[in-house]
Amino acid sequence: MIRFANVFKEYPRTGVALNDVSFSVNKGEFVFLTGPSGAGKSSILKLIYFDELPSRGDVWVSGTRSKGVTRKEISLLRRKLGVVFQDFRLLEDRTVEQNVAFALDVIGTPPEKIHPKVSRLLTQVGLSSKSTNYPRELSGGEQQRVAIARALANDPFVLVADEPTGNLDDRATRGVFQLLRDINAAGTAVVMATHNIDLVKRANLRVLEINRGQVVFDSAEEKRRAPELTP
Amino acid sequence: MRLAVREAMLGFKRAPVLSALSITTIAFSLFAFGLFSLVALNIRNTLRAVESRVEIRAFLAENAEAEAIAAAMGDIGGFKEVARVEYVTPEQALERAKREMGEFKDVFEAGFLPGSLDIRLRDGFRDPTTVKRVADRVRTYAFVDDVRFGEEWVQKLYSIRNIATAAGIILGLAFAAVAIIVIGATIRMAVMARSREISIMRLVGATDGFIQRPFLIEGFVKGVLGGALALGLTWLASSLISRYFIRTEFFDARLAFLGLLGGAVIGVVGSAVSVGRQIRRVL
Ligand SMILES: Nc1ncnc2c1ncn2[C@@H]1O[C@H](COP(=O)(O)OP(=O)(O)OP(=O)(O)O)[C@@H](O)[C@H]1O
Ligand SMILES: [Mg+2]
């Protein structure tokens, strides 16, 4: 599904960000990426949705290989995954509904299919009552739900979330996290970078700990090696 | 498509001054081109009318022998440039002169006019160089005294036409280059203004082609508008010239359409050159 094989990432001005990273994510899995600031979590996520390409090594995502990938292939791959960010990235001059419809419209979804789909998505994230509001009229948690609805518009096989609760208070964080778990329970894999250690500890899901551009801990490997030690 | 058209229209609203500037420069480009093509076209028409009358007249010496003349006619008639050769006797020449200049009939009564060979050229062999070449060959016959042809002014018309064509192309290209630069600047601004939208489009899987489409449509519309404006200006110029100088002919529908097409090409090419680069910058 997602596979990193000896991936190195070097940025022009800051140097090595990822240093020989290898791991895979299976279908329907929920994976946390944790680690200190600057560890390389966002870089890993960017490599997953091909916003960046590895300097060395290979990334495979749903059959698309980073080596020699074209811009067109990247566009098509992104229709199979959803991405959400800490800062939501909604269009301020469009309503909730229009923000979600936008994602369907720009990939050429037939107009008559857009409205029903948008309604379903907004119901799924619990925002059907706010469909004609503008982002600035929503709370942070609600805005993130809109972003999630937009990310789900193409029925992705994986949802990539870069600190989706980073800007939210505890209550909103729990709500959004529960939504992500529900989405995962319905079959969509989730790869989520977070600083929220409490959230990670309580959840009992797979954890990849990143430090200085390396995977320093993978709970899945740990399990395989010493099943009795897992919490 | 619906979205693309709407976005394209929004582009005009967002940058009305630059849009107007793009359209105007496209129009100037095509106007320069159009004006000079009009000159060239009218000269060509004149030339065509004149050319069909282009004749080389070889005046014969008084003592030219009939046999030699007949042999020469055979020769000359065989040139690939020559359509027809006609012998005009001194008597016929006199008749013709009298007919053509009736009022001066008397002047010719006593006079003598040389006989001549009147040579008509085939279509496509009436340009100055060919005419001159044939004339020079005819001149080599011993019994030919002098050769006349509408040398100078035909030559002049030709060079005016060539200058008009060159000037049109150079000015037109210069304005086209400016138009493309202005369009590029417009697009650069538009892409920056919409960078957030475009990055989200990319994020959710819109293709470059899709993202570019509204910009290309906008360029197309500007180009056609510019082309129409240029046609209007050229038409105005042409009717002013017709009114105050000489009757000129305007473009036919096919050439006018070519003008619009030219505008569309400048608009779309100008947009395409810039938008690909700009979009890659956003991401
Ligand atoms: N676009 C970029 N250009 C240059 N360097 C970058 C770029 N993005 C990230 N880096 C560098 O790569 C390293 C890893 O950054 P990354 O954003 O992946 O860390 P992170 O784990 O997501 O951190 P945080 O928890 O603060 O979000 C950092 O040293 C950063 O300076
Ligand atoms: Mg980060």
Side-chain angles (χ1 to χ4, degrees), chain A residues 78-94:
Chain A
R78 288 190 185 159
R79 297 177 185 193
K80 296 193 276 181
L81 41 84
V83 190
V84 295
F85 302 94
Q86 183 172 4
D87 59 0
F88 321 132
R89 304 204 185 170
L90 300 174
L91 295 169
E92 299 298 329
D93 58 347
R94 294 175 202 239

Side-chain angles (χ1 to χ4, degrees), chain A residues 46-74:
Chain A
K46 284 178 182 169
L47 285 159
I48 293 177
Y49 60 92
F50 283 37
D51 191 38
E52 295 283 354
L53 294 173
S55 313
R56 202 140 42 92
D58 253 323
V59 175
W60 273 271
V61 179
S62 179
T64 304
R65 184 184 183 179
S66 56
K67 193 159 285 166
V69 73
T70 64
R71 280 176 72 87
K72 176 91 183 189
E73 284 165 351
I74 293 175

